[in-house]
Amino acid sequence: MENTTHFGFKQIATNDKQSLVRDVFNSVASKYNLMNDVLSFGAHRLWKHYTIASSNVKIGDKVLDIAGGTGDLAIEFRKKVGDNGQVILSDINAAMLNEGRKNLTNKGIFSVEFVQLNAQSLPFDSNTFDCVNISFGLRNVTDKDQALKEMYRILKPDGCLLILEFSTTDSVFLKKIYDFYSFNIMPKLGGIIADNEASYQYLAESIRKHPNQETLKDMVLDAGFDFCEYHNLSGGIVALHKGIKV
């Protein structure tokens, strides 16, 4: 029997997910930053600022930003590590990586490296990085458990994993508003602004299929991390998980 997984609310063959996700991000790459601002009312910038502030990244550190897309976080990590540090911006999607390269170049930042990779098989030696970050990307990974094990492997002892992702709110009132917005407004805005309603329908569905806060915390610990905590942002619509490798 063929292995299956979810693509939004659809069940598909596991081997098909990567290409379907690639098609989604190929289609939205050029409008990605604009849509983030519109759909989150700018809140994504506050969520990312909180992530950077929670990272404990310091001068001289090595940072890997997985699914880094247009490079918002890589820019800030670059400031924190200084001239002696290293930041690698990575993404599985070439179109998104190209947008990141253009974005950093336009801001005069040339000291970030770019690597196209799959989070399930990271092309780095064990114990290489002080910090690994993945923001709004883990829900698109086919085998999340394998990806988390890889992130654990490449982190140095005392290294930090940061996962910023949409999550689950406990507020019944907020959930009703958020569900209505996600399935009735968000795809329509995607159609109007990015000329791609279907991709934003998938993105709304993918959020609902992502593990909740406690489940993801357990997954991080099961991957080998000795410590994991999470902080809810915007009432739990978004959560930041922080794992430490001892």
Side-chain angles (χ1 to χ4, degrees), residues 58 61-62 125-132 151-161 224-226 243-246:
K58 60 188 183 302
D61 278 355
K62 294 187 66 172
D125 292 336
S126 299
N127 307 312
T128 295
F129 293 94
D130 298 285
C131 178
V132 172
M151 295 174 205
Y152 176 84
R153 179 184 64 79
I154 66 168
L155 275 168
K156 296 177 183 177
D158 296 326
C160 172
L161 169 67
F225 287 87
D226 300 272
I244 303 295
K245 175 180 179 177
V246 176

Side-chain angles (χ1 to χ4, degrees), residues 12-242:
I12 60 168
T14 300
N15 291 338
D16 292 341
K17 181 166 182 176
Q18 185 174 314
S19 63
L20 290 170
V21 170
R22 182 182 64 239
D23 290 344
V24 167
F25 284 92
N26 280 342
S27 66
V28 304
S30 63
K31 300 281 188 177
Y32 191 75
N33 272 352
L34 173 61
M35 289 301 295
N36 279 349
D37 279 328
V38 170
L39 295 177
S40 73
F41 303 99
H44 76 102
R45 298 180 183 274
L46 299 176
W47 301 331
K48 292 171 181 174
H49 178 77
Y50 182 84
T51 300
I52 295 292
S54 301
S55 69
N56 300 327
V57 168
K58 60 188 183 302
I59 295 291
D61 278 355
K62 294 187 66 172
V63 178
L64 175 64
D65 188 15
I66 300 175
T70 53
D72 292 357
L73 285 136
I75 291 170
E76 299 305 316
F77 280 126
R78 181 68 255 175
K79 295 175 185 176
K80 289 182 75 73
V81 304
D83 293 339
N84 295 326
Q86 180 185 26
V87 175
I88 297 176
L89 171 57
S90 68
D91 206 290
I92 195 172
N93 185 278
M96 290 295 291
L97 205 58
N98 190 49
E99 289 299 316
R101 186 179 286 107
K102 288 192 295 184
N103 190 27
L104 269 64
T105 299
N106 290 340
K107 289 179 169 60
I109 299 171
F110 302 99
S111 52
V112 170
E113 298 176 44
F114 298 88
V115 179
Q116 187 174 356
L117 55 74
N118 186 329
Q120 296 169 197
S121 182
L122 297 172
F124 305 106
D125 292 336
S126 299
N127 307 312
T128 295
F129 293 94
D130 298 285
C131 178
V132 172
N133 173 74
I134 180 166
S135 292
F136 304 115
L138 186 61
R139 71 180 188 278
N140 298 309
V141 174
T142 304
D143 189 339
K144 297 174 181 61
D145 291 315
Q146 175 60 26
L148 290 170
K149 289 175 184 176
E150 278 289 275
M151 295 174 205
Y152 176 84
R153 179 184 64 79
I154 66 168
L155 275 168
K156 296 177 183 177
D158 296 326
C160 172
L161 169 67
L162 299 167
I163 305 171
L164 180 66
E165 188 56 89
F166 291 105
S167 201
T168 305
T169 178
D170 289 332
S171 167
V172 175
F173 175 71
L174 189 57
K175 185 178 185 303
K176 286 182 179 179
I177 295 174
Y178 185 46
D179 283 348
F180 179 82
Y181 176 73
S182 296
F183 294 108
N184 295 278
I185 307 299
M186 196 166 91
K188 299 297 183 187
L189 288 173
I192 293 168
I193 299 172
D195 194 28
N196 196 324
E197 185 171 333
S199 289
Y200 284 91
Q201 178 72 29
Y202 158 73
L203 291 173
E205 293 176 2
S206 70
I207 292 168
R208 300 317 188 280
K209 298 296 289 186
H210 186 66
N212 65 20
Q213 289 92 324
E214 284 292 330
T215 302
L216 182 55
K217 177 181 175 180
D218 288 341
M219 291 169 64
V220 171
L221 294 172
D222 288 345
F225 287 87
D226 300 272
F227 170 83
C228 182
E229 64 179 3
Y230 62 85
H231 296 278
N232 287 331
L233 307 172
S234 299
I237 288 175
V238 169
L240 174 65
H241 283 70
K242 183 175 182 179

